[in-house]
Amino acid sequence: MNEVLERESGYFSSQFGGAPDGLWSAPGRVNLIGEHTDYNEGFAFPIAIDKRTTVAARVRADRLLRVTSSSFPGVIEVSLDHLDPDALTGWAAYPLGVAWAMSRAAAGGAGSAAGSEAGSGVPSRLSGLDLALTSDVPAGAGLSSSAAVECAVALALNDLWDLGMGRPELARIGQLAENRVVGAPTGIMDQSASLLGEPDHGILLDCQNLTTEAVALGFAGAGVGLLVIDTRTSHSHADGGYASRRRSCEDGARRLGVGSLRALGPADLPRAAAQLDGQTYCRVRHIITENQRVLDTVTALRTSGAAAIGRFLNESHLSMRDDFEISTPELDLAVARAQEMGAIGARMTGGGFGGAAIALVRNDDAAAVAAGVARDFARAGYTAPHIFPVTASEGARREL
């Protein structure tokens, strides 16, 4: 067992005594491009990153679920027979929400997350569990630390409860837990990236039919890499900003007579401008143009290489700043300074209202870009950013 796994097992032992039955991990994600498109049935292009959440788990002889995290004090306990989605709160709502969604899916008989609320109680064959979580995915940075928790726990429960669910089904489980239990109206992109990621590949996700395709990035061969600039301004998907953007998109689609904004393309923008109020039109314009930027990015990677995608990253940030209005002064400064220091392209990433930006940089420029951003943050009186490289990594896996 390597040093990391020994540490994770040691944490489990310190909380529950003895050894776990296994270790499972799942990565955070960086969305290279395609923001707020997932719940509009559009396209997104995330990568799984080399920062992960690990869960050590052990089957119990009773029906008790016990969960603890190295990031929070105490142990949370609840019976499988009393898992109430409306009563699960705080950080434990993420792992216990997954347990609720999976137990209800198992009760549905078809292993379907879609039928999870209609289940007739938790099946008697499901046992209680002890779960201990550790993570190096920065929380609140827009790197989907929540999906990393959900996917690591879902993979562990799928094995220990012998449910036989496929990874697309586990992604829907994670989304259901976040929507119903946590109360965040997110799409399915984060869970899909965490479960399906591959080294040196992005995941082209069609959120209408949930098909995925691994697309080679070629970053190493091109001598480029991705910097994450965590502004240390925290955000929350469960607050009103994210939900209001989703409502605007749904309202725009309804008023334009389509089931979702996925049905519209750039040629529909003049009609949208004529039929919608100014704010709703801007929200719709972001989604339509962002979908096109995702497809253009993938085409550019395949035909011209990594250095050709910078313009799409830059345009995406302007759209999120001006049309979707989800950026912040810190994110704008990080993006602008990275671009001035020679980044190929830069944009905020994640749901917005704080969190992180990303910069695609030539490897020889990475140190200068990071230093320039840090210097400008200090001059502006902002909290020092956390700047670090990430690489496209493998998705969720069993470690032990």
Side-chain angles (χ1 to χ4, degrees):
M1 190 188 306
N2 66 34
E3 182 178 339
V4 173
L5 299 186
E6 287 179 356
R7 183 174 66 247
E8 312 303 336
S9 294
Y11 175 67
F12 180 93
S13 180
S14 72
Q15 299 299 300
F16 298 124
D21 292 335
L23 292 165
W24 294 259
S25 77
R29 67 96 187 93
V30 158
N31 192 22
L32 194 62
I33 196 163
E35 225 64 77
H36 287 259
T37 51
D38 56 349
Y39 57 78
N40 287 290
E41 297 187 350
F43 298 99
F45 191 52
I47 65 171
I49 61 173
D50 51 339
K51 292 186 177 295
R52 307 181 74 87
T53 291
T54 300
V55 57
R58 183 176 63 197
V59 173
R60 297 177 56 86
D62 55 21
R63 302 273 282 175
L64 188 65
L65 292 173
R66 298 194 299 175
V67 60
T68 187
S69 168
S70 61
S71 300
F72 302 95
V75 176
I76 307 299
E77 299 184 357
V78 62
S79 168
L80 266 172
D81 297 308
H82 298 98
L83 270 180
D84 179 356
D86 296 317
L88 301 176
T89 60
W91 71 266
Y94 293 94
L96 293 176
V98 168
W100 169 80
M102 294 192 75
S103 66
R104 293 309 188 268
S112 170
S116 59
E117 288 213 63
S120 55
V122 179
S124 59
R125 64 185 178 86
L126 301 186
S127 60
L129 299 164
D130 290 331
L131 306 170
L133 293 157
T134 60
S135 182
D136 65 357
V137 183
L143 303 181
S144 204
S145 57
S146 59
V149 170
E150 292 156 4
C151 294
V153 171
L155 202 63
L157 269 57
N158 195 44
D159 284 353
L160 294 176
W161 283 347
D162 193 25
L163 297 179
M165 294 182 185
R167 295 203 172 206
E169 181 76 358
L170 294 179
R172 290 192 289 273
I173 287 285
Q175 183 195 15
L176 176 63
E178 192 145 343
N179 291 172
R180 176 65 179 83
V181 180
V182 178
T186 53
I188 202 168
M189 175 187 65
D190 298 346
Q191 295 82 4
S192 296
S194 187
L195 284 158
L196 301 171
E198 296 183 19
D200 195 35
H201 283 71
I203 302 299
L204 175 60
L205 173 63
D206 183 333
C207 300
Q208 186 172 68
N209 56 29
L210 301 184
T211 58
T212 60
E213 181 181 359
V215 177
L217 297 171
F219 284 1
V224 303
L226 206 60
L227 285 180
V228 170
I229 306 166
D230 179 3
T231 66
R232 298 182 185 268
T233 52
S234 187
H235 71 165
S236 172
H237 281 172
D239 67 14
Y242 191 101
S244 72
R245 298 309 185 277
R246 182 164 186 164
R247 286 194 299 271
S248 288
C249 292
E250 292 168 348
D251 182 52
R254 179 186 56 78
R255 290 161 64 183
L256 291 168
V258 294
S260 74
L261 296 181
R262 164 62 177 276
L264 305 176
D268 295 296
L269 287 173
R271 178 169 70 91
Q275 292 184 223
L276 302 174
D277 63 89
Q279 184 183 81
T280 304
Y281 170 68
C282 286
R283 306 297 191 243
V284 168
R285 181 169 61 182
H286 166 71
I287 300 302
I288 290 175
T289 58
E290 188 80 345
N291 276 328
Q292 187 61 51
R293 282 187 288 270
V294 172
L295 300 177
D296 290 343
T297 296
V298 169
T299 297
L301 283 171
R302 288 170 167 162
T303 59
S304 304
I309 70 173
R311 59 170 286 204
F312 305 118
L313 305 183
N314 295 336
E315 290 170 1
S316 176
H317 184 77
L318 292 177
S319 183
M320 290 184 289
R321 184 192 71 186
D322 299 336
D323 277 353
F324 226 57
E325 296 183 285
I326 56 174
S327 190
T328 65
E330 293 88 347
L331 287 167
D332 292 340
L333 179 60
V335 167
R337 189 56 177 158
Q339 292 165 340
E340 291 166 4
M341 294 297 295
I344 296 167
R347 65 186 286 272
M348 59 148 285
T349 189
F353 311 103
I358 55 172
L360 182 66
V361 299
R362 296 170 184 85
N363 292 335
D364 292 343
D365 296 336
V369 171
V373 172
R375 185 168 56 248
D376 275 18
F377 266 55
R379 288 173 177 166
Y382 295 152
T383 300
H386 181 206
I387 305 173
F388 54 93
V390 294
T391 57
S393 178
E394 182 184 356
R397 64 190 181 221
R398 185 165 186 166
E399 302 281 3
L400 175 68

